[in-house]
């Protein structure tokens, strides 16, 4: 009806509306419920046209009173209709069904808005404004989430940052950014407090990390990598807030933590806050005015803090300043390394020699690692190492230069592999059949944690004539010759040569004096030879009986002691420092196993941090529970504990680790403790989130939910906390598993306790084709939407309509978990496990993002919606909209049916 000038007709129609507007419900078929949604949308459009007509008439003086009266009646009905969340939810569904009709609504809203100015500031005006804002809120019904304002500490953010800084400096920034955003969303952390927690974790890391390389890594992480992470966080939509304002606010909060800042300044011997603020300002994260204001406040605070400059640290250059200067140097070195090495090898040698002095190398490597340049840095050194194979027409003058270029590049690459992991060096882009020498040697001959080498492997058994000539050279000459030497071949032959020499010594053919001369030849000029020799000896000693080890260990001792003679090559002292550090790392395991001590010269480089953390003779389960208890009491995870957890995860395997930590969580009975435990466990699970999630959702939860003798453990609060942890893990893994490659740390882990999920959950792989047949017939199959028997059709979920691959273990585990949840909800008996399932679903809704079609809820069978609505806490229209996939026609039918029946 559109003849609005006939007032009485319109009034009668408005009165007819009163008869149904406040008690709309429909218990019919899904199609009828969808028709109801469409009818409501039509009614809304009609009321808006009506209101617009009368708002326009108000400005005509003769018609004013009558028009205001009619408008009042219209707005009352609009308000009545829209005040019900149920009605707004049904209109939300209609909007998705008929996008063109919604466009009409938006146009009517614009017209009404133009005419509202005629009303001045009357009560009618405010009533009309309320109606308009309610209509505008319909498309975004699901995205309104309140932030947590009652908390100031967020241990998960803290632990994620600490874990990344301690274990993954070389990792790309994007996965870390996504991980942090995930935590921010799931825990609803306000932006300023989120940024504050990131900086708190960085400062704690700076204060508590071991001296030496770890300290440089943390400095690079804090001052180079974290500002880059914040630059990426800034790109995420912030609503109407300005991210730079949040960063400024976070720093204002950080300034209040004077003891933390003072301690960091003391450790780093400089004003950390000031340097960090300047770095953030450079990256566009802070305005200059805010930066200067914060710097002045910190300077004023420092006047009252204890004096930091003592006599002994007055001459020490602070690491943060050195790291910030090292970053541009890395770029310059990369350019230098790109030049043609054959043109000026001496010039290149000068650059490399300069890199080796003091702690320059570790500073440069930390800066390269934090800015994502370490891989290309390593590639350049692999290339340089390959270049030294060229010996045609070499004259005596260039022999030593080539030997040094080989040696320095080899030592640097070993050092990088030990400090940052061997995967930094490996390249995917080698032409087939052309693997560089260093990569081959590292993969087959270099001892690493958790890698057992076979001393009889063919890689240690090269051409016998080369071995014989090398043994003769080592035994007879007064010193190593350098010209025309093929250093790659020498390094591959040295293991077999050492075996010959050891046998000769064992059998009395060679005296100890001869052995001394031989080891001096090995280590005297080119340190790489000693590294390759010890690499083989370490593998060899492991295979020997107790009484057979003496001479091999003595030989390691000889090779590890530097030569302090005149007749060594250039940069010998600098090279020996790196060699000693490499040998110490290589021998650590075998010396512990054979209870041998070798004194490596104190090199200024740190001894191995975070090594040998587990107390001897204590069962690993006790170690796990005691470390977790300590962390829970403290309320945050420190980097030492992170390393212990990682070691335990290696030793016990994924199932053992996950199962025992879940048991610890279920023992906790105090509410605030269980929440803290979840925040910390989620962060600990970040050590290998994907595998731990598969175990938690695929093994541990199904066991707890199907075994009635364990149901009592799922009581509130621990059961509720486990539901929260499970949802957080599921969401994190699902959002990242398609994008993120397992890190090298995770690849090292044995996978034997992860069963083949395909055999574990035999889903019917022919389902999609059967489903398509069912869905193409558009009749209302009562079986699909309400069958109590768990037949194939009742397990139909949105994921199958989006044809999500069920070959993927995580998808399979999620699909099966939701089938289990669905059967628990539809069962005749209820118990704590039913309550657990409700908490699980509530948490899913809590953490959901608006319009996230690819969320884990797509694995939920459609039949579950009607079961869930029967649960008091879940029987709200908003929740139905949140848990059904409204992008699908079937999803909209299911949602309409459930909401209309409320």
């Amino acid at each position: 009806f559109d003849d609005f000038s006939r007032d009485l007709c319109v009034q009668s129609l408005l009165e007819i509306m009163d008869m149904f507007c406040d008690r709309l419900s429909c218990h019919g078929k899904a199609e009828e419920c969808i028709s109801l949604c469409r009818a409501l949308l039509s009614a809304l459009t009609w009321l808006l046209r009506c209101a617009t007509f009368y708002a326009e008439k108000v400005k005509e003086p003769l018609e004013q009173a009558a028009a205001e009266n009619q408008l009042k009646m219209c707005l009352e009905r609009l308000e009545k209709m829209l005040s019900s969340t149920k009605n707004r939810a049904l209109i939300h569904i209609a909007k998705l069904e008929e996008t063109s009709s919604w466009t009409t609504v938006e146009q009517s809203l614009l017209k009404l808005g133009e005419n509202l100015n005629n009303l001045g500031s009357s009560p009618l005006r405010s009533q009309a404004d309320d109606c308009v804002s309610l209509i505008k809120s319909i498309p975004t019904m699901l995205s309104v989430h309140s932030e947590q304002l009652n908390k100031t500490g967020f241990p998960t953010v803290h632990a994620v940052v600490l874990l990344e800084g301690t274990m993954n400096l070389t990792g790309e920034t994007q996965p870390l950014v996504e991980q942090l955003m995930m935590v921010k969303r799931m825990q609803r952390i306000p932006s300023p407090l989120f940024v504050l927690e990131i900086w708190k974790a960085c400062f704690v890391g700076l204060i508590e990390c071991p001296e030496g390389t770890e300290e440089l890594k943390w400095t690079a992480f804090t001052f180079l990598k974290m500002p880059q992470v914040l630059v990426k966080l800034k790109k995420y939509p912030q609503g109407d807030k300005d991210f730079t304002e949040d960063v400024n606010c976070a720093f204002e909060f950080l300034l209040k933590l004077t003891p933390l800042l003072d301690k960091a300044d003391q450790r780093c011997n400089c004003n950390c806050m000031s340097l960090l603020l300047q770095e953030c300002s450079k990256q566009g994260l802070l305005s200059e005015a805010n930066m200067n204001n914060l710097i002045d406040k910190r300077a004023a605070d420092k006047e009252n803090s204890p004096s930091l400059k003592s006599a002994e640290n007055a001459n020490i250059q602070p690491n943060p300043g050195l790291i910030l200067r090292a970053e541009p140097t890395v770029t310059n070195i990369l350019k230098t390394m790109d030049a043609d090495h054959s043109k000026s090898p001496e010039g290149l040698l000068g650059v490399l020699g300069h890199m080796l002095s003091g702690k320059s190398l570790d500073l440069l490597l930390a800066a390269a690692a934090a800015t994502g340049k370490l891989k290309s840095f390593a590639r350049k050194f692999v290339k340089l190492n390959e270049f030294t194979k060229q010996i045609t027409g070499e004259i005596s003058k260039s022999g030593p230069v080539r030997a040094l270029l080989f040696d320095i590049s080899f030592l640097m690459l070993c050092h990088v592999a030990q400090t940052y992991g061997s995967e930094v060096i490996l390249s995917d882009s080698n032409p087939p059949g052309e693997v560089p020498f260093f990569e081959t040697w590292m993969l087959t001959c270099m001892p690493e944690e958790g890698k057992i080498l076979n001393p009889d492997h063919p890689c240690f058994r090269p051409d016998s004539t080369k071995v014989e000539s090398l043994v003769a050279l080592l035994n007879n000459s007064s010193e190593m010759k350098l010209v025309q030497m093929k250093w790659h071949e020498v390094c591959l032959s040295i293991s077999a040569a050492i075996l010959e020499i050891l046998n000769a010594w064992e059998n009395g053919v060679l005296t100890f004096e001869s052995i001394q001369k031989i080891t001096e030849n090995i280590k005297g000029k080119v340190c790489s030879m000693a590294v390759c020799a010890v690499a083989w000896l370490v593998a060899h000693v492991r295979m020997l009986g107790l009484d057979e080890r003496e001479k091999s260990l003595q030989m390691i001792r000889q090779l590890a002691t530097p030569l302090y003679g005149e007749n060594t090559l250039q940069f010998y002292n600098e090279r020996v420092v790196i060699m000693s550090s490499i040998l110490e790392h290589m021998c650590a395991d075998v010396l512990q196993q054979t209870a041998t001590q070798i004194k490596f010269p104190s090199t200024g480089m740190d001894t191995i941090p975070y090594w040998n953390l587990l107390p001897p003779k204590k069962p690993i389960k006790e170690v796990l529970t005691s470390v977790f208890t300590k962390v829970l009491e403290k309320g945050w995870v420190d980097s030492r504990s992170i390393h212990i957890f990682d070691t335990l995860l290696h030793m016990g395997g994924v199932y053992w680790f996950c199962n025992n930590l879940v048991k610890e969580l279920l023992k906790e009975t105090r509410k605030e403790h269980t929440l803290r435990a979840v925040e910390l466990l989620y962060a600990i699970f970040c050590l290998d989130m994907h595998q731990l999630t598969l175990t938690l959702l695929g093994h541990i939860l199904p066991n707890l939910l199907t075994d009635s003798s364990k149901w009592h453990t799922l009581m509130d609060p621990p059961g509720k906390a486990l539901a929260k942890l499970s949802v957080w893990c599921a969401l994190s893994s699902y959002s990242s598993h398609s994008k993120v490659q397992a890190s090298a740390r995770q690849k090292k882990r044995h996978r034997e306790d992860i069963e083949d999920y395909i055999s574990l959950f035999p889903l019917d792989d022919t389902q999609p084709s059967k489903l398509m047949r069912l869905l193409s017939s558009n009749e209302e199959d009562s079986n699909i939407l309400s069958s109590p028997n768990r037949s194939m059709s009742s397990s139909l979920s949105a994921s199958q309509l989006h044809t999500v691959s069920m070959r993927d273990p995580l998808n399979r585990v999620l699909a099966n978990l939701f089938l289990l949840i669905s059967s628990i909800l539809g069962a005749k008996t209820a118990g704590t496990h039913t309550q657990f399932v409700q908490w699980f679903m509530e948490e899913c809704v809590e953490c959901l993002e608006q319009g996230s079609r690819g969320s884990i809820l797509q694995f939920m069978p459609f039949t579950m919606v009607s079961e869930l609505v029967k649960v008091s806490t879940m029987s709200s229209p908003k929740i139905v909209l949140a848990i059904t996939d409204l992008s699908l026609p079937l999803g909209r039918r299911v949602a309409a049916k459930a909401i209309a029946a409320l």
Side-chain angles (χ1 to χ4, degrees), residues 619-625 644-645 647-663 692 695 700 753:
I620 55 174
K621 181 158 181 228
E622 281 176 34
V623 180
L624 183 68
T625 49
I644 294 177
F645 283 127
T647 311
L648 291 167
L649 180 51
H650 273 293
M651 291 181 81
V654 182
Y655 181 81
W656 173 88
F657 186 80
C658 187
N659 194 28
N660 282 309
L661 285 175
V662 167
K663 280 181 187 167
L692 285 160
T695 304
I700 291 166
D753 51 2

Side-chain angles (χ1 to χ4, degrees), residues 616-888:
K617 299 186 180 160
K618 191 172 177 184
I620 55 174
K621 181 158 181 228
E622 281 176 34
V623 180
L624 183 68
T625 49
S626 67
V627 175
F628 183 66
T629 308
K630 265 189 210 144
V631 162
L632 194 56
E633 276 167 17
K634 238 186 350 188
W636 56 281
V637 188
D638 57 292
S639 46
R640 187 184 160 83
S641 304
I642 287 175
H643 279 270
I644 294 177
F645 283 127
D646 192 51
T647 311
L648 291 167
L649 180 51
H650 273 293
M651 291 181 81
V654 182
Y655 181 81
W656 173 88
F657 186 80
C658 187
N659 194 28
N660 282 309
L661 285 175
V662 167
K663 280 181 187 167
E664 288 306 300
L665 171 62
L666 292 176
K667 278 182 203 164
E668 200 49 69
T669 52
R670 288 162 293 181
K671 189 176 176 182
E672 63 283 3
H673 267 217
T674 55
L675 182 61
R676 189 194 289 174
V678 170
E679 293 178 327
L680 293 170
L681 278 174
Y682 171 82
I684 293 164
F685 280 13
C686 288
L687 285 167
D688 195 346
M689 181 56 84
H690 190 60
Q691 294 296 329
L692 285 160
T693 302
L694 284 176
T695 304
L696 177 64
L697 307 183
H699 292 276
I700 291 166
L701 282 192
N703 285 345
L704 287 168
L705 291 172
T706 51
D707 180 351
S708 54
S709 66
K710 294 183 180 148
W711 288 348
H712 67 281
T713 60
L714 298 174
M715 302 273 280
D716 189 19
K720 195 169 187 175
L722 178 60
K724 192 183 272 290
L725 176 67
S726 307
V727 172
W728 287 3
C729 290
L731 287 171
S732 290
S733 285
Y734 191 74
S735 73
S736 67
H737 85 292
S738 51
K739 293 175 248 177
V740 178
Q741 294 298 307
S743 78
R745 205 180 67 247
Q746 293 159 2
K747 279 182 193 152
K748 273 190 210 162
R749 192 159 297 124
H750 299 301
R751 294 284 199 239
E752 67 273 316
D753 51 2
I754 293 295
E755 310 223 5
D756 172 7
Y757 284 91
I758 304 285
S759 62
L760 190 68
F761 301 121
L763 276 180
D764 174 5
D765 281 320
T766 57
Q767 268 179 332
S769 54
K770 286 189 205 166
L771 288 173
M772 288 310 154
R773 279 205 308 280
L774 262 173
L775 290 168
S776 54
S777 64
N778 200 9
E779 80 225 46
E780 179 63 35
D781 184 344
S782 59
N783 191 25
I784 289 189
L785 293 178
S786 60
S787 71
N789 63 337
R790 302 279 138 202
S791 65
M792 184 277 297
S793 59
S794 68
S795 67
L796 170 60
S797 71
S799 62
Q800 292 159 344
L801 303 185
H802 292 308
T803 56
V804 171
S805 158
M806 282 301 155
R807 292 250 158 258
D808 178 276
L810 183 63
N811 294 347
R812 214 171 179 86
V813 163
L814 285 166
N816 279 282
L817 181 63
F818 276 107
L819 280 177
L820 176 59
I821 287 176
S822 179
S823 70
I824 289 171
L825 282 172
K828 303 249 185 319
T829 51
T832 34
H833 64 306
T834 322
Q835 182 68 69
F836 176 88
V837 163
Q838 289 169 24
W839 289 324
F840 183 91
M841 292 307 298
E842 280 166 30
E843 190 60 36
C844 282
V845 174
E846 274 289 289
C847 298
L848 240 125
E849 280 174 89
Q850 163 72 15
S852 54
R853 184 191 107 171
S855 119
I856 58 171
L857 286 176
Q858 64 177 325
F859 294 99
M860 181 185 86
F862 285 121
T863 47
M864 223 171 101
V865 178
S866 53
E867 300 286 354
L868 273 175
V869 179
K870 295 173 191 166
V871 178
S872 59
T873 51
M874 304 291 280
S875 62
S876 90
K878 274 192 178 181
I879 285 180
V880 176
L881 290 181
I883 59 178
T884 39
D885 187 333
L886 300 173
S887 66
L888 294 168

Side-chain angles (χ1 to χ4, degrees), residues 490-505:
V490 170
C491 282
L492 290 172
S493 308
I494 191 95
S495 49
I498 292 281
L499 180 60
E500 299 274 322
I501 293 161
L502 263 178
N503 287 338
W505 187 19

Side-chain angles (χ1 to χ4, degrees), residues 457-495:
H457 189 280
C459 72
F460 292 123
R461 297 276 163 274
D463 179 0
S464 55
T465 50
K466 288 178 183 165
V467 175
E468 279 164 25
S469 59
L470 179 59
V471 172
L473 185 69
L474 291 171
N475 193 21
N476 302 329
S477 56
S478 56
E479 61 177 75
M480 280 300 284
K481 79 174 188 113
L482 302 172
V483 183
Q484 299 274 330
M485 279 295 275
K486 295 182 177 175
W487 294 110
H488 305 76
E489 288 183 5
V490 170
C491 282
L492 290 172
S493 308
I494 191 95
S495 49

Side-chain angles (χ1 to χ4, degrees), residues 109 148 322 574 732 801 863:
L109 278 177
Q148 278 203 53
L322 293 172
E574 289 86 348
S732 290
L801 303 185
T863 47

